[in-house]
Amino acid sequence: MNDVVIADYLRTAQSRSRPSAPERDWFHQLRADELLARLIPAILSRCDIPSAKIDDCIVGSALGVSEQWTFGGRTPVFLAGMDAGVPAKFIDQQCGSGMAAVQTGFMEIATGFADMVLACGMEHMTRVPMGPTLFENGAMSVNPDLYSAEKYSEWDMPTTMNMGLTAEKLADIAGITREEMDLWAVRSHQRAATAAEAGFFAGEILPISAPQADGSFTTIERDQAVRPGTDVAGTAGLKPIFRADGKVTAGNASPLSAGAAAMLLTTREKALALNIKPLATIRSIGFAGVDPTLMGEGPVPATRKALENAGLQPEDIDVWEINEAFSVVVLNCIRKFNIDPDRVNIHGGGIALGHPLGATGVRLTGTLARIMAEKECRYGCATACIGGGQGISIILERE
């Protein structure tokens, strides 16, 4: 098999989506595919690669309906002005869609069927809001038998379809407290704010000029949801969202977000021939299913598979990027693998930076590669839980 490397990675800033007050979202007048179309030419230009050299363009999104429908992945190719000969595909693995695009590109190159692949992700949770609206307007439909037929009762669809309730169930079973979840959330904001102030994220964010509600244009180059002043007292005062007696609040869960991310994958030989210094080598991948009412458990078996495939143990991993869909997901992984928390989400995570579902997996992987270079670490693992009861993981080795 070919060694597959990350040649480059680039993303937009991640805005704070507010479907009920769209004008407050910095990207509210730009579609998700328009955000992605800004990234693709930029990353190709940075690597001095003509688009005709791309063997596949893989686009991930959790909600590939309405304006996020991609015509088989081709509309971003059209919008980005790529060569007509570039094939594309669309992937929906919910919150894992972006990382699934990276994994698919990895497998295409590793097996010799491609030399260069763009793995992308996008999501706009203001313009294509997650929730009942998409069901009410017919954009999405779940088979009603899953809710009503006794033979499907084991799936407990009311819980399965509500990510907050799955997080509450995981917190109960794992014995993780509200205080622990709030402390992790505060840490996320503090670390993200520190990293942003130090300029770390400027190395991966493409500034984008975006029209605002007042008619002005603003250059968006930082993540909108990061709150430097977040503290324990304020977070502890928030009420539970999903259960009156629950632990999950708006403070210890990721915000709705809009954003896009792109990653260029190739072989080590091709990178060297093109004078590209790779960010990292992809060493292993993993994916797994779990009880859908315990969605947040997904990263655990997925990571176990990735570690086994790489011949590694959890203690061999120097740094981790565990998606903060909810604080409890990260805390559960830390317990299950006995991870030093100081090795996890070093520059904050999704609670602060945002979680534009389809883009998150690319961001996790790319940010991890950059942290590994910054800290001179050998191995890193990025992992995420996935709505519907799945997990997805990737292990990188620093070049």
Side-chain angles (χ1 to χ4, degrees):
M1 286 177 43
N2 296 317
D3 274 350
V4 181
V5 301
I6 299 172
D8 202 3
Y9 151 66
L10 193 62
R11 69 176 176 95
T12 68
Q14 299 180 154
S15 69
R16 174 70 167 88
S17 289
R18 300 177 186 274
S20 61
E23 69 282 355
R24 297 174 65 185
D25 182 338
W26 289 344
F27 286 144
H28 74 282
Q29 292 195 51
L30 293 176
R31 294 164 51 117
D33 53 9
E34 292 172 328
L35 294 173
L36 180 55
R38 306 273 187 102
L39 289 177
I40 291 173
I43 197 169
L44 293 177
S45 176
R46 281 170 33 140
C47 295
D48 195 23
I49 303 295
S51 66
K53 296 294 185 181
I54 300 301
D55 296 308
D56 203 1
C57 180
I58 309 171
V59 181
S61 176
L63 300 173
V65 298
S66 186
E67 64 183 49
Q68 286 176 178
W69 178 70
T70 65
F71 202 22
R74 284 284 275 181
T75 50
V77 169
F78 302 156
L79 290 166
M82 298 182 76
D83 187 276
V86 177
K89 57 176 65 74
F90 176 82
I91 290 182
D92 164 17
Q93 199 178 7
Q94 295 297 285
C95 309
S97 300
M99 194 177 293
V102 176
Q103 290 190 347
T104 303
F106 160 75
M107 289 185 282
E108 289 179 348
I109 296 171
T111 53
F113 290 97
D115 284 332
M116 306 193 80
V117 172
L118 270 175
C120 310
M122 64 179 189
E123 206 79 41
H124 204 312
M125 300 179 76
T126 290
R127 299 179 67 94
V128 187
M130 179 176 63
T133 302
L134 295 179
F135 294 97
E136 291 165 1
N137 66 20
M140 297 195 307
S141 176
V142 176
N143 192 311
D145 286 353
L146 286 170
Y147 285 89
S148 59
E150 180 62 29
K151 64 179 178 178
Y152 299 127
S153 61
E154 64 177 298
W155 301 118
D156 184 8
M157 291 303 290
T159 301
T160 290
M161 292 294 291
N162 186 315
M163 300 305 102
L165 290 180
T166 70
E168 291 283 12
K169 184 174 178 179
L170 179 63
D172 289 344
I173 289 175
I176 294 171
T177 67
R178 162 75 185 269
E179 181 181 16
E180 290 175 295
M181 292 159 63
D182 286 348
L183 285 171
W184 189 267
V186 171
R187 172 194 188 272
S188 183
H189 281 281
Q190 291 176 344
R191 293 198 171 213
T194 298
E197 182 67 23
F200 174 80
F201 293 115
E204 62 188 54
I205 293 176
L206 176 71
I208 288 181
S209 178
Q212 302 302 299
D214 61 4
S216 66
F217 279 76
T218 300
T219 299
I220 309 302
E221 52 191 350
R222 65 180 178 88
D223 299 308
Q224 186 176 1
V226 179
R227 300 191 306 274
T230 301
D231 58 26
V232 174
T235 304
L238 297 173
K239 293 182 179 180
I241 306 172
F242 302 100
R243 273 185 5 208
D245 63 342
K247 305 169 187 176
V248 178
T249 72
N252 58 40
S254 60
L256 306 179
S257 305
M263 180 172 288
L264 181 62
L265 305 176
T266 188
T267 63
R268 176 176 288 104
E269 292 74 18
K270 178 70 74 172
L272 292 174
L274 295 170
N275 294 315
I276 295 172
K277 183 180 179 181
L279 294 175
T281 300
I282 299 176
R283 282 298 172 215
S284 182
I285 61 174
F287 35 88
V290 295
D291 176 348
T293 68
L294 286 171
M295 177 270 305
E297 178 73 10
V300 176
T303 299
R304 285 197 180 114
K305 288 184 177 181
L307 288 168
E308 182 180 347
N309 290 335
L312 299 173
Q313 298 297 320
E315 54 268 27
D316 295 321
I317 303 300
D318 300 298
V319 285
W320 299 73
E321 280 292 305
I322 304 173
N323 188 39
E324 293 173 354
F326 302 93
S327 286
V328 65
V329 176
V330 185
L331 296 170
N332 183 62
C333 279
I334 287 173
R335 286 191 182 185
K336 292 291 174 66
F337 292 119
N338 193 29
I339 306 170
D340 178 354
D342 285 338
R343 296 186 175 193
V344 179
N345 299 359
I346 288 173
H347 293 321
I351 288 173
L353 300 173
H355 178 24
L357 310 178
T360 288
V362 180
R363 187 202 70 78
L364 290 169
T365 307
T367 299
L368 174 67
R370 296 186 65 245
I371 289 173
M372 291 169 65
E374 177 192 44
K375 303 297 182 183
E376 297 186 347
C377 302
R378 182 173 183 185
Y379 292 115
C381 178
T383 185
C385 57
I386 299 173
Q390 299 188 74
I392 192 165
S393 298
I394 194 164
I395 292 176
L396 305 181
E397 183 175 6
R398 184 170 66 92
E399 284 291 306

